[in-house]
Amino acid sequence: MQELESYFEKLGEKKFRAKQVYEWLWLKPVGSFDAMTNLSKELRKKLSDEFSLPALKVDHTQHSSDGTFKLRFKTHDGHFVEGVLIPTESGRYTACVSSQIGCSLSCKFCATGYMERKRNLEFDEIYDEVVLLNNLCEKEYGKKLSNIVFMGMGEPLLNYKNVLRSIERITAADGLAMSPRRITVSTAGVAKMIKQLGDDKVKFKLALSLHAANDQKRHEIMPVNDTNNIKSLIEALNYFYKQAKNEITFEYILFKDFNDSLKDADELIKLYRQVPADLINLIEYNPIDAARFEKPSEEKVEAFIAYLSKHRVNVRLRRSRGKDIDAACGQLANKN
Ligand code: SF4
């Protein structure tokens, strides 16, 4: 803000211009100086001549029958990423945001995993995603976002600096002023960076996409497990908790006849006991064209949940949202 103020001062413009431009840049990203309608034409031209504006633009919007919105964003260099707005019956409005264009981790059940990783998103591009989803939320539901999850395209911990910097802006008083407790960063499991989060004493929550409770099965569906095995992840999560004292959740997608037996549940409980995890989020699998997995029957899911509950595990089933527009967990792949 100070930089903007001194810039406009040098131009002989009024001080409030800085605030106007600041709001366009950080709260109403428009993608061009020309669209900053409360500035004079001359000033807009001057800004366009001197600066470029790499803001994200909404390129395509899809609306699911369950109220979920999927936005496709276009970057200044012509790439596409997606973000999702998920309203729930409990009155929460969650934004699921992407951190990379594509993903290098190639998880077998995830549509993004079949895309090539093009590049990391910059911190302001991630922030723009959140602002644009927040603006949509206010327009459609008259509410601000209540939660943000970094569970869209890409592995957030492989774009560490930009993700943390975007969260700084999201939580800043002159940003969206959102509590970090309402933000969850989800990782496929990069042990070294989980420890780094601990060292940085971050205030947001951490979710580990576990999806299989032994190395052999996890290796089959998540190649990242080859270099970050379960033992190393357990150790990293304990370190994270010791340093940051923040909530940890396990994410576990149920795949038919792969990880949905009571023996799998037993293995999962053993891991849960080794980490100060608050919750296991069971996730309904959303089929994608490229993968061979199926979702288990309702009875199987219920038996799995009942088994975990009987063993005093705090468990919750996360039902799919936005399936009809490919906006559900694991389905983001820039497809219309
Ligand atoms: S699940 Fe996450 S880490 Fe794995 S391929 Fe998909 S986007 Fe990448």
Side-chain angles (χ1 to χ4, degrees):
M1 185 70 155
Q2 261 178 352
E3 274 175 65
L4 279 175
E5 279 176 358
S6 41
Y7 173 78
F8 285 110
E9 214 178 331
K10 272 185 214 146
L11 285 187
E13 289 280 349
K14 296 264 185 297
K15 213 175 169 185
F16 68 82
R17 292 287 176 219
K19 187 163 180 278
Q20 286 177 321
V21 172
Y22 185 92
E23 283 178 1
W24 284 115
L25 291 177
W26 293 110
L27 299 173
K28 307 179 268 192
V30 278
S32 84
F33 290 107
D34 229 22
M36 299 183 178
T37 44
N38 54 1
L39 307 182
S40 68
K41 272 199 180 143
E42 297 72 51
L43 184 54
R44 283 185 253 168
K45 165 108 180 44
K46 172 135 193 66
L47 292 172
S48 316
D49 290 346
E50 279 195 34
F51 303 101
S52 63
L53 201 56
L56 226 53
K57 289 185 193 148
V58 177
D59 170 74
H60 189 72
T61 303
Q62 284 174 280
H63 189 195
S64 160
S65 53
D66 66 17
T68 300
F69 279 89
K70 181 167 80 170
L71 299 187
R72 188 175 71 177
F73 305 107
K74 189 170 182 187
T75 64
H76 66 96
D77 53 350
H79 294 299
F80 297 99
V81 279
E82 293 176 335
V84 183
L85 169 64
I86 310 150
T88 62
E89 277 140 26
S90 56
R92 283 154 69 119
Y93 295 89
T94 301
C96 175
V97 295
S98 297
S99 54
Q100 298 182 306
I101 300 169
C103 186
S104 56
L105 294 190
S106 305
C107 301
K108 298 287 183 276
F109 49 84
C110 169
T112 314
Y114 291 86
M115 295 167 66
E116 193 191 334
R117 191 197 77 100
K118 301 282 187 199
R119 67 167 172 85
N120 285 340
L121 285 173
E122 297 295 331
F123 87 93
D124 46 359
E125 291 176 316
I126 300 172
Y127 180 77
D128 281 354
E129 277 185 78
V130 175
V131 171
L132 290 165
L133 287 162
N134 188 52
N135 292 350
L136 177 70
C137 194
E138 286 184 330
K139 182 171 150 252
E140 292 293 332
Y141 298 108
K143 300 274 184 193
K144 286 186 187 307
L145 291 175
S146 54
N147 298 77
I148 298 172
V149 293
F150 281 76
M151 293 185 187
M153 301 165 92
E155 165 53 54
L157 298 192
L158 294 182
N159 186 13
Y160 191 88
K161 281 198 182 131
N162 285 312
V163 166
L164 262 63
R165 223 175 139 195
S166 72
I167 293 174
E168 259 173 49
R169 291 286 325 142
I170 295 165
T171 53
D174 60 353
L176 293 180
M178 183 180 256
S179 161
R181 307 265 169 223
R182 298 190 164 272
I183 300 173
T184 303
V185 170
S186 174
T187 176
V190 186
K192 189 174 152 205
M193 301 320 289
I194 292 174
K195 287 185 173 173
Q196 187 64 50
L197 288 174
D199 287 337
D200 288 337
K201 305 230 173 349
V202 297
K203 298 272 181 280
F204 49 79
K205 299 180 195 171
L206 180 64
L208 173 71
S209 296
L210 188 64
H211 306 323
N214 66 52
D215 280 322
Q216 190 210 331
K217 284 194 182 182
R218 203 162 187 270
H219 154 86
E220 264 188 64
I221 55 172
M222 301 178 78
V224 68
N225 199 71
D226 298 356
T227 43
N228 295 265
N229 64 16
I230 290 179
K231 186 166 174 274
S232 73
L233 293 175
I234 296 291
E235 191 200 313
L237 288 174
N238 278 295
Y239 182 83
F240 167 80
Y241 188 79
K242 201 168 126 219
Q243 299 294 99
K245 297 274 176 305
N246 276 355
E247 213 172 284
I248 299 172
T249 305
F250 280 167
E251 308 282 321
Y252 191 94
I253 303 177
L254 283 165
F255 301 107
K256 183 181 173 188
D257 298 334
F258 177 74
N259 64 356
D260 60 347
S261 71
L262 296 188
K263 183 168 176 289
D264 294 305
D266 245 339
E267 285 184 310
L268 181 56
I269 292 167
K270 280 191 192 113
L271 290 188
Y272 178 77
R273 301 256 184 265
Q274 291 174 50
V275 174
D278 295 271
L279 175 72
I280 297 180
N281 253 331
L282 294 180
I283 304 171
E284 208 175 47
Y285 175 61
N286 304 297
I288 57 166
D289 296 343
R292 61 182 163 85
F293 299 103
E294 288 175 48
K295 69 183 230 185
S297 65
E298 277 296 315
E299 295 75 47
K300 208 82 190 259
V301 173
E302 275 165 26
F304 200 91
I305 294 174
Y307 193 82
L308 293 185
S309 302
K310 194 176 95 186
H311 288 82
R312 300 185 315 282
V313 170
N314 188 18
V315 59
R316 187 173 64 187
L317 176 66
R318 218 170 68 206
R319 295 269 179 203
S320 263
R321 305 295 307 272
K323 267 189 288 198
D324 53 340
I325 54 168
D326 287 328
C329 187
Q331 290 187 315
L332 300 185
N334 292 338
K335 182 167 92 157
N336 278 330

